Amino acid sequence: MKKKQISDYRIASDADSIRHSFLDNLYFVQARFPEVASHNDFYLALAWTVRDRLLSNWIETASTYYRQASRSVCYLSAEYLTGPHLHNAVLSLGVEPQIRHAMAGLGLDLDDITAQEPEPGLGNGGLGRLAACYLDSLATLQIPAIGYGIRYEFGIFEQVIRHGRQVELADMWLRSGNPWEIPRPEINFEVGFGGTTKHYTDESGRYRVRWQPQRHVKGVAYDTPIPGYRVPTVNLLRLWNAQACESFNLGAFNVGDYERAVEEKIASETISKVLYPNDEPMQGKRLRLEQEYFFCACTIQDILRLLLQQNGSLDLLPEKFAIQLNDTHPAIAVVELMRLLIDVHDMAWDEAWRLVRKTVSYTNHTLLPEALETWPVELISEVLPRHLEIIYEINRRLLEKVRTRSPDDDALLARISLIDERYGRNVRMAHLATVASQHINGVANLHSRLLRDRVLRDFHTLDPERFTNITNGVTPRRFMILANPALTSLINDTIGDAWTRDLERLQELEEWADNPGFQGAWREVKLGNKQALAQTIFKTSGIEVDPATLFDCQIKRIHEYKRQHLNILHIICRYLEMKRGLHTDAPARTLLFAGKSAPGYYTAKVIIELIHTVADTVNSDPDVSDKMRIAFLPNFNVSSAEKIYPAADLSQQISTAGMEASGTGNMKFALNGALTIGTLDGANIEIRQRVGKENFFLFGLTESEVANRRAGDYRPRERYLNDQQLRSVIDALADGLFSSGDSTRFRPLIDNLLQHDHFFVLEDFSAYRACQQQVDDTWNDPTKWIRASILNTARCGWFSSDRAIKEYCERIWRVSPVPIKQNTAT
Ligand code: 26Q
């Protein structure tokens, strides 16, 4: 079809055409006229309008990739936390002024409309958001890429707080329809589960295996466009939805067994129903294994389909595709790829393995032993019997290789084996992903070093050249331009706008760091953002906070290793000292928390309660309430994050050293001019190196000190006994000062700290306290603070996900940009 035949007004970007399209969509798609339309109708009408403008570029992108058949990245991730699409799409297209104008002409406001969009919460936290930042950068850098994942019907639960406790509500994000996805019923694959394997010799005398699954589920593709920033490239996020196979219930249905027929249908569709809300350990849930295999099986079939469609030869797999595993959640994909190549496409093992090893790479995101994914052999044998055989064969070959190099080292064999035999028999997914990958990377320097030295040490000894580091990055489009328009304008007015695609050019701000006029403007921007956040806090939690105070923020999943309780213990300490008349010079602070706890994580839930009870006491105490105010913003997600980063003065990154793989919130804060108080953990170390030690509040044990304490005999109770301040904090808590005299409420938490303190909260307490004093002193010197704030932004451009993706492209994927022709309406 000629472009001319497509209605130009549907894709033209002048305000008149946009208004025309908008009214058209409101009428013909939403079946409404403006006088009776709801906010949601307006949102959907604008979403359709913007989507139309993405589609022609999307189709152009797809057809260019098809014609050129260049190497594409397939990013496999069980999670994507994209955040709302509408405003980002408007920004990418560069049509915001026209849209604002068109909406204003109808008496509507773009910000009210974008606020209507429910965000797709298809992830837990850092890992899912990283995947979304990487898709943004891939499209912006014009790299052919497809993100593959699961279309969960219910994403991460919605958090509400009742009586100071977290309550989880279902996330019904698809309730009002999703204009950003295009169902592709014709792109569907069958996925088998259970059953048996048959080993036989075929007509030509070859040994063959066939898997006969006991049941099948159908995966249907739903595609979401991923626009690049100010380029015509629109890539693809393909999420799989589980449906019953057409044949699912005929037998049962025909003999009148309706109930069984319906049960089977429901069981099939359960697979993509809900995201598991755990972001660390989780043992042995069958449905989770089924989810992982389901999306990998659909994805690998899709990749082979695309390959065969393009050139008809499987040998070209590594030339045409780079498959990236976002943690081990998609690791079963390598086994599925082996199965299809060998059992279905008749390839020899060695050839299949060579292709896998040249195509697949693996990013690790955790070192915590309890968070490393393992699956009971027994469970895999039930759900994926053929895959277990292939895993055994991969393992046999691995162990043979190790044995040849190091004969008689049984301890080494036990350590490196894909099967952990220590507590029952479990498949180590990190070992599977590692043995199958061309490259293995960690997500910050320290993390990658620990990965090599500890978790994957034996693999590193075998082939060190496969290991590398790629420090995480974040997209400046969403976390600066969209989230912080005032800062964006100020920067544009000062150094131009080249920084939006080359973030290291923020360095040009350095020469302005001491300029009084610029400092004043910088301060005004921050104040404006704080006023806006103050309103949000008031609306969502009823707490009034003063924008003139120091906004001190800890926003992230609630975890013991992230140590929200270190923060709150220090707040208690401050409170008690203020009651005793100390800290008269201390600046007033707004202490902001936000974050979800895994529903079954008892201690994390107690920490949420603790934050709330301390907040109640402090906020209602007239002796201190003009000096400190505590707020917990419920339901932390991408949308609320976008409001918090721009308004923060202080970013709390206080995990126990060696435990946070990287962190990415730390980067978003620094880029928005917050100063960090943090430990030498994850990417904090690299942030500090870049911003300079005088612009970073450092405290706490180093990773090696933590390791030594663990190896030695750390006695947390001694910390308590020897530290006067700490003792009064713990005693106040134990006496029920924050629980209306109920001394039992926080007893388990206290006992845990005094007896074990696995995360060295008590050990780091006094250093943290001293460091917080430095924060006060710096804040009391506003020129010094503002200068440090400007330098944080100026020196953190390196943490752009564009830099990270360029490193992946050059060092891991070996892919280059494929520019797309601009499709213009005349
Ligand atoms: C595994 C098995 C079963 C159920 C759930 C899971 C599961 C799900 C999500 C395990 C882990 C996650 C998420 C992990 C995560 O978000 N890790 C974070 O990744 C970020 C991006 O690299 C880092 O910045 C953080 O340091 C790291 O904690």
Side-chain angles (χ1 to χ4, degrees):
M1 186 176 29
K2 288 268 181 334
K3 298 280 148 44
K4 270 288 167 204
Q5 289 172 266
I6 299 172
S7 308
D8 282 349
Y9 81 86
R10 276 190 92 160
I11 56 172
S13 53
D14 59 288
D16 273 351
S17 304
I18 288 171
R19 185 166 37 82
H20 184 156
S21 291
F22 175 82
L23 292 172
D24 207 275
N25 286 319
L26 189 65
Y27 191 92
F28 289 108
V29 184
Q30 292 310 113
R32 288 272 194 246
F33 53 94
E35 290 75 5
V36 299
S38 65
H39 293 298
N40 195 53
D41 291 322
F42 288 135
Y43 155 65
L44 285 171
L46 187 58
W48 300 118
T49 304
V50 172
R51 192 183 101 159
D52 281 345
R53 282 151 180 83
L54 287 181
L55 286 188
S56 57
N57 284 339
W58 195 13
I59 292 165
E60 189 63 40
T61 304
S63 81
T64 308
Y65 291 168
Y66 182 81
R67 269 183 278 117
Q68 302 202 0
S70 20
R71 187 168 154 100
S72 303
V73 177
C74 300
Y75 197 84
L76 272 59
S77 177
E79 307 194 358
Y80 291 91
L81 261 182
T82 59
H85 293 289
L86 175 57
H87 203 177
N88 185 246
V90 170
L91 175 72
S92 300
L93 288 165
V95 294
E96 183 158 339
Q98 299 92 304
I99 292 196
R100 281 198 187 276
H101 186 75
M103 294 301 104
L106 298 165
L108 297 169
D109 176 62
L110 177 62
D111 299 320
D112 293 342
I113 298 179
T114 56
Q116 277 300 307
E117 181 174 350
E119 75 168 72
L122 308 188
N124 275 286
L127 167 139
R129 182 54 235 179
L130 186 78
C133 284
Y134 283 180
L135 293 187
D136 179 90
S137 286
L138 282 162
T140 298
L141 296 170
Q142 305 182 277
I143 306 293
I146 308 180
Y148 282 106
I150 303 174
R151 180 180 178 272
Y152 301 105
E153 186 177 333
F154 300 99
I156 185 70
F157 62 85
E158 187 188 327
Q159 178 195 55
V160 296
I161 303 293
R162 295 207 180 119
H163 311 296
R165 299 196 175 100
Q166 167 173 300
V167 173
E168 299 92 18
L169 305 180
D171 163 51
M172 302 207 259
W173 72 288
L174 291 168
R175 195 170 21 197
S176 316
N178 175 10
W180 302 103
E181 67 183 9
I182 292 163
R184 302 277 189 206
E186 75 286 4
I187 302 180
N188 68 82
F189 297 101
E190 285 208 347
V191 180
F193 292 97
T196 53
T197 59
K198 276 220 159 49
H199 297 237
Y200 62 101
T201 313
D202 68 13
E203 316 78 59
S204 50
R206 273 188 65 170
Y207 172 73
R208 302 289 300 268
V209 184
R210 176 158 310 129
W211 174 29
Q212 293 177 320
Q214 185 242 324
R215 65 189 174 101
H216 287 93
V217 173
K218 187 170 74 169
V220 176
Y222 280 68
D223 290 350
T224 300
I226 304 292
Y229 176 71
R230 306 288 158 93
V231 290
T233 299
V234 178
N235 280 340
L236 171 65
L237 170 59
R238 177 160 286 170
L239 301 178
W240 301 104
N241 178 241
Q243 296 181 9
C245 289
E246 277 81 16
S247 58
F248 80 99
N249 54 6
L250 278 181
F253 202 78
N254 285 340
V255 297
D257 192 352
Y258 305 117
E259 282 181 21
R260 211 186 87 209
V262 171
E263 266 170 29
E264 282 179 23
K265 179 170 162 63
I266 291 173
S268 304
E269 293 174 358
T270 301
I271 289 188
S272 60
K273 231 354 124 196
V274 54
L275 167 79
Y276 276 94
N278 307 310
D279 64 344
E280 295 294 347
M282 220 265 336
Q283 274 308 303
K285 289 272 185 281
R286 177 184 300 255
L287 180 61
R288 168 75 188 193
L289 177 64
E290 290 174 350
Q291 287 184 334
E292 292 182 355
Y293 176 61
F294 163 75
F295 104 85
C296 291
C298 294
T299 300
I300 296 297
Q301 291 183 75
D302 198 40
I303 293 172
L304 295 186
R305 175 186 67 93
L306 291 168
L307 178 67
L308 296 176
Q309 186 185 59
Q310 277 181 359
N311 58 58
S313 165
L314 293 170
D315 309 343
L316 286 176
L317 178 68
E319 271 70 52
K320 296 296 166 194
F321 292 98
I323 297 178
Q324 188 68 30
L325 307 177
N326 196 24
D327 216 297
T328 54
H329 317 151
I332 196 72
V334 307
V335 188
E336 176 68 357
L337 183 50
M338 285 298 283
R339 185 184 75 82
L340 291 179
L341 293 178
I342 294 170
D343 293 359
V344 177
H345 294 279
D346 227 0
M347 202 177 271
W349 180 282
D350 289 325
E351 175 61 0
W353 188 244
R354 187 184 68 80
L355 295 179
V356 168
R357 280 278 302 243
K358 286 186 77 176
T359 308
V360 175
S361 291
Y362 156 54
T363 306
N364 171 290
H365 298 263
T366 189
L367 301 165
L368 311 187
E370 66 275 21
L372 291 170
E373 206 180 4
T374 65
W375 291 102
V377 164
E378 185 62 25
L379 183 64
I380 300 199
S381 79
E382 285 169 29
V383 179
L384 303 168
R386 176 58 183 143
H387 296 76
L388 184 61
E389 293 173 356
I390 294 172
I391 291 170
Y392 281 152
E393 181 59 15
I394 297 172
N395 198 35
R396 192 186 66 74
R397 289 166 182 251
L398 167 69
L399 296 184
E400 196 173 274
K401 181 171 153 193
V402 175
R403 220 178 270 120
T404 329
R405 290 212 196 177
S406 322
D408 304 324
D409 191 344
D410 287 350
L412 170 61
L413 291 179
R415 285 200 310 270
I416 209 168
S417 172
L418 300 192
I419 314 295
D420 180 352
E421 315 244 4
R422 290 172 305 168
Y423 332 91
R425 304 183 71 230
N426 291 286
V427 178
R428 294 164 162 150
M429 301 308 270
H431 291 204
L432 173 62
T434 301
V435 69
S437 289
Q438 179 161 55
H439 296 282
I440 301 105
N441 77 287
V443 290
N445 282 332
L446 172 68
H447 169 68
S448 294
R449 178 162 68 71
L450 296 174
L451 200 59
R452 288 189 293 253
D453 293 353
R454 302 203 186 142
V455 182
L456 299 176
R457 185 194 180 106
D458 299 316
F459 287 98
H460 180 250
T461 313
L462 270 187
D463 343 73
E465 71 288 352
R466 291 198 295 143
F467 286 77
T468 186
N469 170 252
I470 297 188
T471 299
N472 283 167
V474 302
T475 174
R477 269 73 65 182
R478 184 171 291 272
F479 292 105
M480 297 186 75
I481 309 177
L482 273 188
N484 202 342
L487 190 72
T488 300
S489 310
L490 175 60
I491 299 175
N492 286 348
D493 293 347
T494 312
I495 60 168
D497 68 359
W499 62 277
T500 57
R501 250 167 302 161
D502 181 6
L503 205 63
E504 288 193 68
R505 293 190 60 170
L506 286 172
Q507 268 170 14
E508 293 163 27
L509 289 172
E510 279 203 32
E511 60 181 278
W512 296 86
D514 292 305
N515 178 302
F518 186 74
Q519 288 192 342
W522 192 267
R523 194 196 320 262
E524 283 305 306
V525 165
K526 187 61 90 181
L527 186 63
N529 293 336
K530 288 162 78 171
Q531 281 160 345
L533 179 60
Q535 284 184 9
T536 304
I537 294 174
F538 184 68
K539 270 189 235 144
T540 51
S541 63
I543 293 166
E544 251 183 284
V545 303
D546 177 359
T549 59
L550 189 170
F551 275 30
D552 168 339
C553 308
Q554 190 175 21
I555 57 168
K556 48 182 79 246
R557 285 295 285 249
I558 313 292
H559 257 288
E560 287 163 281
Y561 86 77
K562 296 178 189 278
R563 300 200 296 191
Q564 281 91 354
H565 46 339
L566 174 58
N567 186 353
I568 202 82
L569 290 184
H570 173 254
I571 292 172
I572 296 175
C573 180
R574 269 293 169 102
Y575 171 68
L576 297 174
E577 289 179 335
M578 281 185 179
K579 293 288 279 182
R580 288 173 27 224
L582 299 170
H583 297 293
T584 44
D585 299 339
R589 294 199 197 200
T590 294
L591 301 146
L592 183 67
F593 292 85
K596 293 175 185 177
S597 155
Y601 187 172
Y602 173 77
T603 306
K605 289 194 145 175
V606 173
I607 291 172
I608 293 181
E609 262 189 85
L610 179 62
I611 295 169
H612 280 89
T613 59
V614 174
D616 285 347
T617 308
V618 170
N619 295 349
S620 61
D621 187 335
D623 292 348
V624 300
S625 66
D626 57 340
K627 281 294 215 177
M628 51 201 298
R629 201 54 69 88
I630 306 170
F632 186 100
L633 200 67
N635 202 36
F636 181 51
N637 58 11
V638 177
S639 313
S640 57
E642 287 174 28
K643 301 193 175 100
I644 298 170
Y645 297 121
D649 295 308
L650 186 67
S651 152
Q652 297 237 18
Q653 307 299 336
I654 60 177
S655 52
T656 315
M659 311 213 80
E660 188 70 89
S662 159
T664 43
N666 46 6
M667 303 167 187
K668 296 164 196 166
F669 275 115
L671 282 167
N672 282 284
L675 278 61
T676 304
I677 180 167
T679 49
L680 286 177
D681 198 14
N684 295 352
I685 300 173
E686 290 157 75
I687 292 177
R688 179 166 173 268
Q689 281 162 359
R690 286 178 186 271
V691 303
K693 60 185 192 323
E694 65 288 1
N695 300 306
F696 186 108
F697 300 106
L698 177 71
F699 76 97
L701 297 179
T702 62
E703 186 281 324
S704 66
E705 288 166 345
V706 167
N708 290 337
R709 294 285 189 294
R710 265 198 217 300
D713 65 338
Y714 170 51
R715 297 192 189 164
R717 193 179 295 274
E718 283 175 12
R719 291 269 134 272
Y720 162 80
L721 293 171
N722 298 335
D723 180 336
Q724 170 75 61
Q725 276 81 18
L726 182 56
R727 208 163 62 224
S728 38
V729 171
I730 301 271
D731 290 347
L733 202 54
D735 292 346
L737 184 64
F738 302 98
S739 40
S740 334
D742 177 358
S743 60
T744 60
R745 192 142 163 217
F746 297 112
R747 197 69 241 181
L749 188 73
I750 297 168
D751 287 344
N752 194 307
L753 287 176
L754 291 175
Q755 288 161 26
H756 308 290
D757 193 17
H758 193 69
F759 301 97
F760 300 96
V761 172
L762 304 194
E763 177 75 12
D764 271 345
F765 181 82
S766 73
Y768 180 59
R769 189 168 157 270
C771 194
Q772 285 285 15
Q773 185 61 52
Q774 292 173 33
V775 172
D776 284 350
D777 297 344
T778 308
W779 181 265
N780 283 337
D781 182 349
T783 312
K784 188 169 169 195
W785 186 282
I786 293 288
R787 176 186 146 80
S789 166
I790 297 168
L791 290 177
N792 264 268
T793 302
R795 295 177 178 174
C796 280
W798 187 80
F799 295 99
S800 168
S801 46
D802 297 346
R803 184 272 313 155
I805 283 297
K806 281 184 196 150
E807 292 193 35
Y808 277 98
C809 289
E810 285 161 19
R811 294 183 9 227
I812 297 190
W813 300 329
R814 290 173 292 109
V815 292
S816 356
V818 173
I820 306 299
K821 192 166 99 285
Q822 180 69 53
N823 210 336
T824 45
T826 44

